[in-house]
Short mmCIF file of all heavy atoms in Angstrom, two decimals:
data_model
loop_
_atom_site.label_atom_id
_atom_site.label_comp_id
_atom_site.label_asym_id
_atom_site.label_seq_id
_atom_site.Cartn_x
_atom_site.Cartn_y
_atom_site.Cartn_z
N GLY A 39 -224.05 -14.59 -163.93
CA GLY A 39 -224.99 -14.42 -162.84
C GLY A 39 -225.97 -13.29 -163.08
O GLY A 39 -225.97 -12.65 -164.13
N SER A 40 -226.79 -13.04 -162.06
CA SER A 40 -227.84 -12.04 -162.16
C SER A 40 -227.87 -11.15 -160.93
O SER A 40 -227.50 -11.57 -159.83
CB SER A 40 -229.21 -12.71 -162.32
OG SER A 40 -229.29 -13.48 -163.50
N LEU A 41 -228.33 -9.94 -161.13
CA LEU A 41 -228.59 -8.99 -160.06
C LEU A 41 -229.81 -8.17 -160.42
O LEU A 41 -230.10 -7.98 -161.61
CB LEU A 41 -227.41 -8.04 -159.83
CG LEU A 41 -226.15 -8.58 -159.16
CD1 LEU A 41 -225.04 -7.53 -159.22
CD2 LEU A 41 -226.43 -8.97 -157.72
N ARG A 42 -230.51 -7.68 -159.42
CA ARG A 42 -231.59 -6.74 -159.64
C ARG A 42 -231.30 -5.46 -158.88
O ARG A 42 -231.20 -5.48 -157.65
CB ARG A 42 -232.95 -7.30 -159.22
CG ARG A 42 -234.10 -6.39 -159.67
CD ARG A 42 -235.47 -6.89 -159.25
NE ARG A 42 -235.71 -6.70 -157.83
CZ ARG A 42 -236.93 -6.65 -157.28
NH1 ARG A 42 -238.01 -6.77 -158.05
NH2 ARG A 42 -237.06 -6.50 -155.98
N LEU A 43 -231.18 -4.37 -159.60
CA LEU A 43 -230.95 -3.08 -159.00
C LEU A 43 -232.27 -2.35 -158.80
O LEU A 43 -233.21 -2.51 -159.57
CB LEU A 43 -230.03 -2.23 -159.89
CG LEU A 43 -228.71 -2.87 -160.32
CD1 LEU A 43 -227.88 -1.86 -161.10
CD2 LEU A 43 -227.95 -3.40 -159.12
N THR A 44 -232.31 -1.52 -157.77
CA THR A 44 -233.49 -0.73 -157.48
C THR A 44 -233.12 0.74 -157.42
O THR A 44 -232.07 1.11 -156.88
CB THR A 44 -234.11 -1.16 -156.13
OG1 THR A 44 -234.51 -2.53 -156.20
CG2 THR A 44 -235.33 -0.31 -155.82
N TRP A 59 -231.37 4.28 -166.76
CA TRP A 59 -230.22 3.75 -166.05
C TRP A 59 -228.96 4.11 -166.81
O TRP A 59 -228.94 4.07 -168.04
CB TRP A 59 -230.30 2.23 -165.88
CG TRP A 59 -231.25 1.78 -164.82
CD1 TRP A 59 -232.54 1.37 -165.00
CD2 TRP A 59 -230.98 1.67 -163.42
NE1 TRP A 59 -233.09 1.01 -163.80
CE2 TRP A 59 -232.17 1.19 -162.81
CE3 TRP A 59 -229.87 1.93 -162.62
CZ2 TRP A 59 -232.26 0.97 -161.43
CZ3 TRP A 59 -229.97 1.71 -161.25
CH2 TRP A 59 -231.15 1.24 -160.68
N GLU A 72 -230.32 2.24 -170.57
CA GLU A 72 -231.74 1.91 -170.74
C GLU A 72 -232.62 3.10 -170.40
O GLU A 72 -232.28 3.91 -169.55
CB GLU A 72 -232.16 0.73 -169.85
CG GLU A 72 -231.43 -0.55 -170.12
CD GLU A 72 -232.09 -1.74 -169.44
OE1 GLU A 72 -233.29 -1.67 -169.13
OE2 GLU A 72 -231.39 -2.75 -169.25
N TYR A 82 -233.15 0.13 -175.20
CA TYR A 82 -231.93 -0.38 -174.61
C TYR A 82 -230.72 -0.08 -175.48
O TYR A 82 -230.80 -0.10 -176.71
CB TYR A 82 -232.01 -1.90 -174.42
CG TYR A 82 -233.16 -2.35 -173.55
CD1 TYR A 82 -234.42 -2.56 -174.07
CD2 TYR A 82 -232.95 -2.58 -172.19
CE1 TYR A 82 -235.46 -2.98 -173.26
CE2 TYR A 82 -233.99 -3.00 -171.38
CZ TYR A 82 -235.24 -3.20 -171.92
OH TYR A 82 -236.28 -3.62 -171.11
N VAL A 86 -226.41 -3.95 -173.76
CA VAL A 86 -227.16 -4.68 -172.73
C VAL A 86 -228.45 -5.29 -173.25
O VAL A 86 -229.10 -6.06 -172.53
CB VAL A 86 -227.49 -3.77 -171.53
CG1 VAL A 86 -226.22 -3.14 -170.97
CG2 VAL A 86 -228.49 -2.69 -171.91
N GLY A 88 -231.23 -7.54 -174.53
CA GLY A 88 -231.39 -8.98 -174.43
C GLY A 88 -230.92 -9.55 -173.12
O GLY A 88 -231.23 -10.72 -172.83
N ARG A 89 -230.20 -8.78 -172.32
CA ARG A 89 -229.71 -9.24 -171.03
C ARG A 89 -230.28 -8.46 -169.86
O ARG A 89 -230.50 -9.02 -168.79
CB ARG A 89 -228.19 -9.16 -170.98
CG ARG A 89 -227.49 -10.00 -172.05
CD ARG A 89 -225.98 -10.02 -171.85
NE ARG A 89 -225.40 -8.69 -171.95
CZ ARG A 89 -224.74 -8.07 -170.97
NH1 ARG A 89 -224.56 -8.68 -169.80
NH2 ARG A 89 -224.23 -6.86 -171.16
N PHE A 90 -230.51 -7.17 -170.06
CA PHE A 90 -231.02 -6.30 -168.99
C PHE A 90 -232.47 -5.93 -169.30
O PHE A 90 -232.84 -5.75 -170.46
CB PHE A 90 -230.21 -5.02 -168.88
CG PHE A 90 -228.79 -5.18 -168.40
CD1 PHE A 90 -228.22 -6.43 -168.22
CD2 PHE A 90 -228.02 -4.06 -168.14
CE1 PHE A 90 -226.91 -6.57 -167.78
CE2 PHE A 90 -226.72 -4.18 -167.70
CZ PHE A 90 -226.16 -5.43 -167.52
N THR A 91 -233.27 -5.79 -168.25
CA THR A 91 -234.66 -5.40 -168.39
C THR A 91 -234.98 -4.29 -167.40
O THR A 91 -234.74 -4.43 -166.20
CB THR A 91 -235.61 -6.58 -168.15
OG1 THR A 91 -235.30 -7.64 -169.07
CG2 THR A 91 -237.06 -6.14 -168.36
N ILE A 92 -235.52 -3.19 -167.90
CA ILE A 92 -235.89 -2.07 -167.07
C ILE A 92 -237.39 -2.11 -166.81
O ILE A 92 -238.18 -2.48 -167.68
CB ILE A 92 -235.47 -0.73 -167.73
CG1 ILE A 92 -235.61 0.45 -166.76
CG2 ILE A 92 -236.26 -0.48 -169.01
CD1 ILE A 92 -235.01 1.74 -167.31
N SER A 93 -237.79 -1.74 -165.62
CA SER A 93 -239.21 -1.68 -165.28
C SER A 93 -239.42 -0.61 -164.22
O SER A 93 -238.46 -0.13 -163.61
CB SER A 93 -239.72 -3.04 -164.80
OG SER A 93 -239.05 -3.46 -163.63
N MET A 101 -237.90 2.14 -159.59
CA MET A 101 -237.53 1.62 -160.89
C MET A 101 -236.54 0.49 -160.67
O MET A 101 -235.74 0.53 -159.72
CB MET A 101 -236.91 2.72 -161.75
CG MET A 101 -236.51 2.28 -163.14
SD MET A 101 -235.95 3.66 -164.17
CE MET A 101 -234.51 4.22 -163.26
N TYR A 102 -236.57 -0.49 -161.55
CA TYR A 102 -235.73 -1.66 -161.40
C TYR A 102 -234.89 -1.90 -162.64
O TYR A 102 -235.25 -1.51 -163.75
CB TYR A 102 -236.58 -2.91 -161.15
CG TYR A 102 -237.50 -2.79 -159.97
CD1 TYR A 102 -238.85 -2.46 -160.14
CD2 TYR A 102 -237.05 -3.00 -158.67
CE1 TYR A 102 -239.70 -2.35 -159.06
CE2 TYR A 102 -237.89 -2.89 -157.59
CZ TYR A 102 -239.22 -2.56 -157.79
OH TYR A 102 -240.07 -2.45 -156.72
N LEU A 103 -233.77 -2.54 -162.43
CA LEU A 103 -232.95 -3.02 -163.53
C LEU A 103 -232.59 -4.47 -163.24
O LEU A 103 -231.78 -4.75 -162.36
CB LEU A 103 -231.68 -2.18 -163.69
CG LEU A 103 -230.77 -2.59 -164.85
CD1 LEU A 103 -231.48 -2.42 -166.19
CD2 LEU A 103 -229.47 -1.79 -164.82
N GLN A 104 -233.22 -5.37 -163.97
CA GLN A 104 -232.91 -6.78 -163.86
C GLN A 104 -231.77 -7.10 -164.81
O GLN A 104 -231.91 -6.91 -166.02
CB GLN A 104 -234.13 -7.64 -164.18
CG GLN A 104 -233.87 -9.14 -164.13
CD GLN A 104 -233.55 -9.62 -162.74
OE1 GLN A 104 -234.25 -9.30 -161.79
NE2 GLN A 104 -232.47 -10.38 -162.61
N MET A 105 -230.66 -7.57 -164.28
CA MET A 105 -229.47 -7.85 -165.07
C MET A 105 -229.20 -9.34 -165.05
O MET A 105 -228.97 -9.93 -164.00
CB MET A 105 -228.27 -7.08 -164.52
CG MET A 105 -228.50 -5.58 -164.41
SD MET A 105 -227.01 -4.68 -163.91
CE MET A 105 -226.77 -5.37 -162.27
N ASN A 106 -229.23 -9.94 -166.22
CA ASN A 106 -228.95 -11.36 -166.39
C ASN A 106 -227.74 -11.55 -167.29
O ASN A 106 -227.34 -10.64 -168.01
CB ASN A 106 -230.16 -12.08 -166.99
CG ASN A 106 -231.40 -11.98 -166.13
OD1 ASN A 106 -231.32 -12.04 -164.90
ND2 ASN A 106 -232.55 -11.86 -166.77
N SER A 107 -227.19 -12.75 -167.25
CA SER A 107 -226.04 -13.09 -168.09
C SER A 107 -224.94 -12.04 -167.98
O SER A 107 -224.39 -11.58 -168.98
CB SER A 107 -226.49 -13.25 -169.55
OG SER A 107 -227.47 -14.26 -169.66
N LEU A 108 -224.60 -11.68 -166.77
CA LEU A 108 -223.64 -10.61 -166.55
C LEU A 108 -222.25 -11.00 -167.04
O LEU A 108 -221.83 -12.16 -166.94
CB LEU A 108 -223.60 -10.25 -165.08
CG LEU A 108 -224.78 -9.40 -164.61
CD1 LEU A 108 -224.92 -9.45 -163.10
CD2 LEU A 108 -224.62 -7.96 -165.09
#
Side-chain angles (χ1 to χ4, degrees):
S40 298
L41 287 172
R42 189 181 74 158
L43 307 185
T44 299
W59 284 97
E72 299 192 22
Y82 301 86
V86 305
R89 300 187 298 119
F90 293 7
T91 302
I92 191 171
S93 61
M101 181 174 62
Y102 304 98
L103 181 63
Q104 178 66 49
M105 305 186 296
N106 299 322
S107 301
L108 284 162

